[in-house]
Amino acid sequence: MSKQQPAQFTNPETPGYVGFANLPNQVHRKSVKKGFEFTLMVVGESGLGKSTLINSLFLTDLYPERIIPGAAEKIERTVQIEASTVEIEERGVKLRLTVVDTPGYGDAINCRDCFKTIISYIDEQFERYLHDESGLNRRHIIDNRVHCCFYFISPFGHGLKPLDVEFMKAIHNKVNIVPVIAKADTLSLKERERLKKRILDEIEEHGIKIYHLPDAESDEDEDFKEQTRLLKASIPFCVVGSNQLIEAKGKKVRGRLYPWGVVEVENPEHNDFLKLRTMLITHMQDLQEVTQDLHYENFRSERLKRGGRKIEDEEVNKDQILLEKEAELRRMQEMIARMQAQMQMQMQSGEGDSSGHHV
């Protein structure tokens, strides 16, 4: 009975090569197995089609049971934060997508404090990530930091509103802002171009930092370079969203049916929906890197400068100091008032004594 020969190990590489050229394949396999995480925030006034656009972008229904409040409820309504997470799988690649909606933004009569809740939420996610990163078990950190914010601008105005300017200035150092002009089918092509130019001019005038797509590398192919150029030229994106399938030219398309024709959501001649989705998907990694290397690092360094104290703690301390100062000022004023009253009484008694001597 013959012994079985042990299997011989063969060199998987071509002679003359070490094999580290396969490292990207290892990274790719590991990334696909682990899956990807992305958090997208959508901010804008009610009725601009935010939910419809998000459902159109990811071909999913994130808001199946949404109740739209009436006008009376909106008068005193405060901004809420609603985070919906969905697992999307495409060709074996998993994406854990979290969409953060902000119902109530810009609805109330007084919108002065309407973005404090949103800023607080962004900071909380940075705070949570910093805490997890500083902990003992750092292997399974869930990244809920906001990587991108679609800011919806109304197509019915003549550019940015004061609320738009104030909000974007308040968050531009915390998150990547992508301006989006909603319901673009209400504008003609000339009106779109005019509004885009006006918004870009106002963004520059007010010093608002929006997300700028990175330049294509010199070794990239010409098609990718042209795609990047077109995407850059399309900002702010004029979009139309729809979840309805309509028959146009003998094929089913997602779009909006009007008496004069069909607006196709995924037709680049009709709107920038396809460009917005391409920008988000092809630059998703860059959006995450900018969040990590710029916004999160700024937050982290600020926290370290303050010796680990939260921003809220610092604000509470400032308020406490102000209250103490005000109390001290009141005490001083009361003491001065008492001294003045005593001096007045002494003067009056002195006058009484002198009049008595004359008699």
Side-chain angles (χ1 to χ4, degrees), residues 134-157:
S134 310
L136 292 171
N137 185 13
R138 302 194 301 171
R139 289 188 65 185
H140 304 292
I141 297 174
I142 296 171
D143 185 6
N144 283 322
R145 295 172 297 178
V146 180
H147 301 114
C148 181
C149 172
F150 282 176
Y151 188 74
F152 284 71
I153 299 160
S154 172
F156 310 118

Side-chain angles (χ1 to χ4, degrees), residues 41-54:
M41 180 178 266
V42 286
V43 183
E45 294 170 25
S46 297
L48 290 179
K50 301 186 297 294
S51 308
T52 307
L53 183 77
I54 295 303

Side-chain angles (χ1 to χ4, degrees), residues 127-138 141-142:
E127 189 68 49
R128 189 179 293 177
Y129 192 84
L130 180 63
H131 179 266
D132 291 347
E133 201 181 42
S134 310
L136 292 171
N137 185 13
R138 302 194 301 171
I141 297 174
I142 296 171

Side-chain angles (χ1 to χ4, degrees), residues 1-5:
M1 201 173 166
S2 61
K3 287 184 181 179
Q4 192 176 354
Q5 291 290 323

Side-chain angles (χ1 to χ4, degrees), residues 296-308:
Y296 174 66
E297 281 305 313
N298 287 345
F299 173 84
R300 190 170 163 275
S301 60
E302 277 298 313
R303 279 295 308 277
L304 291 171
K305 275 182 199 171
R306 290 195 304 272

Side-chain angles (χ1 to χ4, degrees), residues 57-245:
L57 274 173
F58 298 102
L59 301 175
T60 185
D61 190 4
L62 276 163
Y63 314 100
E65 296 172 3
R66 167 155 286 185
I67 298 163
I68 297 165
E73 292 174 59
K74 288 181 182 179
I75 293 169
E76 293 295 329
R77 196 180 181 195
T78 54
V79 179
Q80 296 168 302
I81 299 290
E82 291 180 4
S84 309
T85 302
V86 64
E87 299 268 353
I88 303 170
E89 189 169 341
E90 187 179 76
R91 295 179 191 171
V93 178
K94 290 176 186 173
L95 173 67
R96 180 181 169 274
L97 174 73
T98 302
V99 176
V100 181
D101 201 355
T102 54
Y105 173 84
D107 285 351
I109 292 171
N110 183 3
C111 299
R112 186 177 291 277
D113 298 328
C114 73
F115 46 80
K116 281 187 179 176
T117 312
I118 299 167
I119 292 166
S120 177
Y121 178 83
I122 294 167
D123 284 337
E124 275 171 26
Q125 303 318 305
F126 280 146
E127 189 68 49
R128 189 179 293 177
Y129 192 84
L130 180 63
H131 179 266
D132 291 347
E133 201 181 42
S134 310
L136 292 171
N137 185 13
R138 302 194 301 171
R139 289 188 65 185
H140 304 292
I141 297 174
I142 296 171
D143 185 6
N144 283 322
R145 295 172 297 178
V146 180
H147 301 114
C148 181
C149 172
F150 282 176
Y151 188 74
F152 284 71
I153 299 160
S154 172
F156 310 118
H158 298 287
L160 297 175
K161 295 178 183 177
L163 179 62
D164 300 333
V165 173
E166 286 303 310
F167 176 75
M168 287 197 276
K169 281 174 82 171
I171 68 158
H172 66 178
N173 287 323
K174 296 175 183 287
V175 69
N176 300 306
I177 302 171
V178 175
V180 174
I181 299 168
K183 298 198 170 181
D185 48 339
T186 60
L187 301 166
S188 68
L189 293 174
K190 279 188 177 178
E191 284 171 340
R192 277 187 212 176
E193 292 311 310
R194 203 180 303 132
L195 185 59
K196 278 188 178 194
K197 189 179 183 308
R198 181 79 181 265
I199 288 167
L200 283 177
D201 289 345
E202 288 179 342
I203 282 171
E204 193 175 342
E205 181 190 330
H206 293 287
I208 298 164
K209 300 171 199 166
I210 59 170
Y211 174 67
H212 290 288
L213 276 74
D215 294 323
E217 299 287 337
S218 55
D219 58 348
E220 295 282 1
D221 57 33
E222 290 303 316
D223 289 344
F224 184 77
K225 286 179 184 176
E226 180 62 17
Q227 184 194 82
T228 305
R229 190 190 65 76
L230 287 170
L231 291 177
K232 283 186 173 188
S234 299
I235 297 171
F237 298 96
C238 279
V239 295
V240 176
S242 175
N243 300 319
Q244 291 181 320
L245 284 170

